[in-house]
Amino acid sequence: MPDIWDVAIIEAPSVLGLRPTGVEELPEALLGAGLAEGLGAVRAGRVEPPAYDPERDPDSGVLNPDGIAAYSVALADAVSAVLDDGRFPVVLGGDCSVLLGNLLALRRRGRHGLLFLDGHTDFYQPSAEPAGEAASMELALATGRGPRVLADLEGRGPLVRDEDVLALGFRDSEESAAYGMQPLPSALHAMELDSVRDLGAAEAARRAVGLLTGDGAGAGYWIHLDVDVLDDAVMPAVDYRLPGGLTWQELETVLHTALSERGAVGLDVAIFNPRLDPGGSLAERLTECLLRSFDGQG
């Protein structure tokens, strides 16, 4: 990637795939902590979600399926405009369902990969997900699994191929199996937390990038960051807490490696809940992590 970043920040405060618990305040928190100024970024607008419906859709089994589908198209339009301008989109969610709009923007342009940084694999089907939250299903939906209204956006599903995905840092295997989440498909590349630790963050990230940019790969990859990939001891401001996780330094190393390669085409940040960070210290630390990842100090 270029030495001087040309970043455009898009605010995507959707909680359609979760609940209005506070993650919708993520953009204001990180922007208030100086993210735009630190990146020298332009502000490329805010994509407002439709009204939240707390009733689970009886046909799809998902909360707000039509709203998420419409929002994904609107967000894809915003991301596409940033890409058309030759800028690097940084999308501030919101819950993890914003990933669908980001990948739809790339799918319109061809084949791309996905570096999926998340404490959970988010591969539920509606029949197993207890609350019908798409934020627990987005990786399954992005790879074409689930109700068509979300798994086949604009008739372009899957948005990303199994073999073009690298899930890194997750630690929910036993818990998810107990709840009935389907396992990750064999073609999808996976490095759970223990594997990252065995390899070391730098080597794990290099291998991940190699897989996403090797022969047969698409035209770059999107980076999805759910902040619950971080150790719960250092990032408790999330709605579904899980023991363990990456350290700040490990996350900075992974992000810096991924952003240092020419293949990175965009990044989203999701799930951080400012209401669980009343003093604002975690927002400041997360912003610092992102800035260090971009400027090479990670």
Side-chain angles (χ1 to χ4, degrees):
M1 295 302 295
D3 293 331
I4 299 175
W5 289 90
D6 194 357
V7 173
I9 291 177
I10 299 170
E11 299 174 56
S14 174
V15 293
L16 295 172
L18 190 64
R19 303 178 309 282
T21 62
V23 297
E24 64 271 30
E25 298 168 14
L26 184 159
E28 291 93 335
L30 297 194
L31 292 170
L35 182 63
E37 293 82 0
L39 292 175
V42 300
R43 303 277 289 274
R46 182 178 174 95
V47 183
E48 295 289 356
Y52 184 90
D53 184 350
E55 297 298 323
R56 192 167 183 167
D57 176 60
D59 295 325
S60 67
V62 180
L63 289 167
N64 299 290
D66 294 327
I68 293 171
Y71 189 77
S72 297
V73 171
L75 180 55
D77 291 343
V79 172
S80 294
V82 167
L83 293 171
D84 288 343
D85 286 343
R87 299 182 186 273
F88 186 93
V90 171
V91 177
L92 303 179
D95 70 61
C96 285
S97 68
V98 302
L99 177 63
L100 299 178
N102 301 326
L103 293 181
L104 177 59
L106 297 186
R107 182 68 183 86
R108 291 171 178 174
R109 306 167 86 88
R111 179 180 175 184
H112 291 78
L114 170 64
L115 178 58
F116 188 83
L117 308 177
D118 198 314
H120 305 83
T121 51
D122 290 350
F123 219 76
Y124 276 104
Q125 286 295 292
S127 58
E129 211 292 319
E133 295 172 350
S136 296
M137 310 177 198
E138 82 277 2
L139 186 54
L141 294 168
T143 56
R145 298 169 174 87
R148 185 174 180 181
V149 62
L150 295 175
D152 192 27
L153 294 169
E154 296 185 338
R156 300 178 189 271
L159 299 179
V160 63
R161 306 182 190 192
D162 291 351
E163 61 268 28
D164 293 336
V165 179
L166 192 296
L168 186 149
F170 60 92
R171 56 191 190 277
D172 67 333
S173 299
E174 292 184 6
E175 175 188 281
S176 298
Y179 278 104
M181 183 191 294
Q182 66 187 97
L184 293 176
S186 59
L188 191 152
H189 305 289
M191 292 185 188
E192 59 186 322
L193 180 62
D194 288 345
S195 298
V196 175
R197 289 276 161 74
D198 290 343
L199 291 168
E203 178 61 21
R206 283 192 291 269
R207 292 191 187 188
V209 169
L211 288 167
L212 292 172
T213 57
D215 292 342
Y221 52 87
W222 187 270
I223 303 169
H224 168 70
L225 172 60
D226 178 334
V227 300
D228 70 19
V229 76
L230 282 160
D231 194 326
D232 184 68
V234 302
M235 176 47 75
V238 297
D239 289 285
Y240 290 114
R241 298 177 63 174
L242 191 65
L246 298 177
T247 66
W248 285 112
Q249 183 60 57
E250 287 171 332
L251 178 58
E252 289 170 15
T253 297
V254 170
L255 286 175
H256 173 53
T257 301
L259 290 165
S260 296
E261 298 296 327
R262 294 185 179 275
V265 296
L267 165 75
D268 70 64
V269 185
I271 293 300
F272 173 65
N273 188 337
R275 294 184 193 172
L276 303 177
D277 177 34
S281 62
L282 294 176
E284 292 177 357
R285 185 63 184 89
L286 178 56
T287 298
E288 178 188 358
C289 173
L290 293 168
L291 295 179
R292 287 170 58 87
S293 299
F294 272 90
D295 71 16
Q297 299 176 29

